[in-house]
């Protein structure tokens, strides 16, 4: 998204987020990580990114997300703790402007199969619902290895 001036770039970034429902979890498909990051910045929203290409199991995925999102040291590395960190912990930190989350390269192997991926994505769907009830946009994009 290269514009002739910063105003044009900001409009393009804002338009990118306007094309995506505000509280959704979806495959990244046609979106580029760089564009999503710029759109989040342009809209004043949090951008949370985790590259999970080296993770092979549920535990490794949770550890990689915790590290990338800078969760507290006491993070329990389970799906309930992930939900708590994505909702309650952040909610208690004060007013939130919105979120653009990217989970890149989710594993696709016997140690992290379709069921494990769906359970993980369900946590992010639940977080999207949580923030939606508070009228805070929460968009999560993911891709597979």
């Amino acid at each position: 998204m290269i514009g002739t001036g910063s105003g044009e770039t900001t409009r393009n970034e804002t338009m990118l987020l306007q094309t995506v429902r505000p509280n959704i979890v979806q495959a990244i498909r046609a979106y580029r990580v760089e564009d999503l990051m710029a759109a989040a910045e342009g809209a004043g929203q949090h951008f949370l990114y985790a590259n999970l290409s080296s993770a092979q199991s549920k535990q490794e995925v949770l550890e990689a997300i915790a590290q990338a999102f800078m969760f507290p040291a006491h993070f329990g590395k389970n799906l309930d703790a992930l939900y708590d960190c994505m909702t309650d912990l952040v909610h208690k930190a004060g007013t939130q402007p919105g979120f653009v989350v990217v989970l890149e390269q989710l594993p696709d192997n016997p140690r992290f199969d379709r069921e494990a991926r769906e359970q993980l994505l369900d946590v992010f769907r639940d977080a999207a619902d949580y923030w939606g009830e508070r009228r805070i946009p929460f968009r999560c994009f993911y891709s597979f290895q």
Side-chain angles (χ1 to χ4, degrees), residues 43-89:
Q45 296 182 7
H46 298 292
F47 180 76
L48 300 172
Y49 173 82
N51 183 324
L52 305 167
S53 59
S54 63
Q56 295 301 310
S57 67
K58 178 179 172 183
Q59 195 66 26
E60 290 172 359
V61 166
L62 289 170
E63 287 175 15
I65 290 171
Q67 185 175 16
F69 294 0
M70 296 184 281
F71 287 166
H74 66 270
F75 172 65
K77 295 185 183 76
N78 61 58
L79 295 175
D80 288 337
L82 175 61
Y83 176 79
D84 289 344
C85 283
M86 294 302 300
T87 57
D88 191 48
L89 185 68

Side-chain angles (χ1 to χ4, degrees), residues 2-134:
I2 299 174
T4 55
S6 61
E8 183 176 330
T9 303
T10 302
R11 277 193 304 276
N12 290 342
E13 293 163 352
T14 302
M15 291 206 40
L16 172 68
L17 288 183
Q18 289 176 350
T19 65
V20 180
R21 231 179 58 198
N23 296 84
I24 192 166
V25 176
Q26 71 174 41
I28 200 164
R29 292 192 182 102
Y31 300 103
R32 294 177 354 153
V33 172
E34 297 82 16
D35 294 340
L36 292 169
M37 181 173 70
E41 281 182 13
Q45 296 182 7
H46 298 292
F47 180 76
L48 300 172
Y49 173 82
N51 183 324
L52 305 167
S53 59
S54 63
Q56 295 301 310
S57 67
K58 178 179 172 183
Q59 195 66 26
E60 290 172 359
V61 166
L62 289 170
E63 287 175 15
I65 290 171
Q67 185 175 16
F69 294 0
M70 296 184 281
F71 287 166
H74 66 270
F75 172 65
K77 295 185 183 76
N78 61 58
L79 295 175
D80 288 337
L82 175 61
Y83 176 79
D84 289 344
C85 283
M86 294 302 300
T87 57
D88 191 48
L89 185 68
V90 178
H91 182 66
K92 287 178 181 171
T95 304
Q96 299 300 320
F99 303 87
V100 175
V101 178
V102 176
L103 305 172
E104 192 166 42
Q105 302 293 308
L106 282 167
D108 184 10
N109 64 54
R111 293 178 60 207
F112 196 79
D113 60 8
R114 180 182 174 96
E115 182 179 343
R117 283 193 312 274
E118 283 305 309
Q119 289 173 348
L120 177 77
L121 293 174
D122 280 346
V123 170
F124 286 92
R125 289 179 187 108
D126 290 345
D129 291 344
Y130 175 91
W131 290 111
E133 290 169 5
R134 287 151 184 80

